[in-house]
Amino acid sequence: PAARYDKIHLFDARIAGLGRDEPVALTLQRSDEGKPGAVIALVSYGVTQPGPALDTRFLSFYTDEIGPYWPPERRLVDSGYADIDFPFRALPVPDLAIVREWSATDLLGYISTWSAVRRAREAGQAEMLARFSRDLLALWGDPEATRTIRWPINMRLGVVE
């Protein structure tokens, strides 16, 4: 049977606050959302998966090249929040993903919006970014051909007891 809820609360735990200022449990204790029975969801999309032909080069760029330019709290998203103290009764998590058909131009445009890319440019790493773009385009083939790009959804679900 489906659960009945008279009220639904959404607790928005932003990445900028997680792991730096206070644990999730303490934040909830200070809010109305931390009442017994409340469902807590930490949700984000995970590391881009551009497909088998591109995954190795992409992951090398993501972790080794651009990795040092991500803010430290990015690791929380990359781990699916596994490293956060989460003292709630765990709920099962569905296997979900965002899936898009993108061209190489679309993917490179998306990557250009990353805060780590901005930081790398500011640090004089434009050539590293250009090299990655060249490598990706070479592996891609026709830059207007579309490929399936996937972002797994990371979640930790729990119930306040």
Side-chain angles (χ1 to χ4, degrees):
R4 183 177 178 283
Y5 297 98
D6 293 324
K7 227 192 248 191
I8 296 175
H9 292 279
L10 173 64
F11 180 74
D12 181 14
R14 298 194 183 276
I15 184 175
L18 291 176
R20 283 199 312 204
D21 301 321
E22 57 189 28
V24 174
L26 180 57
T27 301
L28 290 171
Q29 288 170 0
R30 295 180 181 178
S31 75
D32 288 339
E33 318 314 333
K35 293 180 180 175
V39 175
I40 307 304
L42 300 179
V43 182
S44 70
Y45 57 89
V47 178
T48 309
Q49 298 171 344
L54 306 168
D55 281 345
T56 299
R57 180 62 182 104
F58 180 85
L59 287 174
S60 174
F61 173 72
Y62 184 84
T63 57
D64 302 328
E65 296 167 62
I66 205 74
Y69 297 97
W70 286 112
E73 57 272 12
R74 177 70 196 182
R75 69 179 168 71
L76 299 173
V77 171
D78 290 345
S79 74
Y81 305 112
D83 301 329
I84 291 176
D85 180 31
F86 196 73
F88 310 108
R89 181 171 46 85
L91 295 174
V93 176
D95 184 21
L96 301 172
I98 299 167
V99 179
R100 294 286 180 264
E101 293 296 319
W102 273 3
S103 68
T105 304
D106 294 330
L107 181 58
L108 289 170
Y110 163 70
I111 291 168
S112 74
T113 68
W114 293 353
S115 62
V117 168
R118 181 183 44 79
R119 286 185 183 97
R121 277 196 185 104
E122 290 169 356
Q125 295 297 320
E127 179 49 36
M128 173 190 62
L129 300 169
R131 183 176 55 250
F132 170 71
S133 292
R134 287 190 303 269
D135 291 351
L136 185 83
L137 288 168
L139 291 168
W140 195 284
D142 177 1
E144 294 311 311
T146 60
R147 291 178 181 261
T148 302
I149 311 298
R150 188 175 188 280
W151 294 264
I153 301 297
N154 295 329
M155 274 191 271
R156 286 201 64 193
L157 299 176
V159 176
V160 176
E161 298 197 316

